[in-house]
Amino acid sequence: MTRYTGSCHCGAVRFEIEADPVETTSCDCSICAKKNARMIQVHESGFTLVAGEEFLSTYQWNMRIARHHFCARCGIYTFHRKRMAPDSYGINIYCLDGFDERALPHRRTEGAALSVAEE
Ligand SMILES: [Zn+2]
């Protein structure tokens, strides 16, 4: 397993992951598209929030299963609890220190095809 450290822009939210990701993903659902997010999936056993729980804000929409976390001070999306894999986190790879996205294949996932709740 490889250990990575990560943080939001202002540094209030800091976390560590242990993972051996095999791919990065981006998602075409309405929120991921606006975040322009590129992610890796990490099981919750490999995730540690080091600092900033008091700064961590959560946005939920639609089915209110996924939990989209971001720093309330600088606004950066750091990670989220996944809807399709609720025991895992999606990690914003651009928040990771020294992560080489070019070393991994990239896959586009089709989140937009998932059901959307009727309002
Ligand atoms: Zn921040």
Side-chain angles (χ1 to χ4, degrees), residues 8-112:
C8 65
H9 184 260
C10 75
V13 176
R14 287 185 284 121
F15 58 96
E16 290 182 0
I17 58 169
E18 282 192 49
D20 285 318
V22 297
E23 63 180 8
T24 63
T25 60
S26 59
C27 172
D28 64 356
C29 85
S30 58
I31 183 169
C32 287
K34 290 205 173 188
K35 287 191 294 197
N36 195 23
R38 190 173 284 215
M39 299 159 279
I40 56 172
Q41 183 170 331
V42 176
H43 189 266
E44 61 187 358
S45 64
F47 178 89
T48 306
L49 182 64
V50 175
E53 188 168 9
E54 67 274 29
F55 286 98
L56 209 54
S57 195
T58 302
Y59 175 66
Q60 289 188 285
W61 67 291
N62 193 18
M63 309 293 279
R64 301 185 188 279
I65 299 169
R67 299 171 61 81
H68 302 279
H69 297 298
F70 61 96
C71 174
R73 188 157 72 182
C74 67
I76 294 297
Y77 154 64
T78 48
F79 48 83
H80 73 286
R81 276 279 188 179
K82 296 179 74 71
R83 171 174 167 185
M84 299 303 288
D87 60 350
S88 293
Y89 288 92
I91 307 290
N92 177 357
I93 63 166
Y94 301 119
C95 287
L96 297 174
D97 302 316
F99 186 89
D100 182 8
E101 64 174 302
R102 294 164 302 180
L104 293 175
H106 176 244
R107 181 167 61 93
R108 301 187 65 85
T109 64
E110 296 181 345

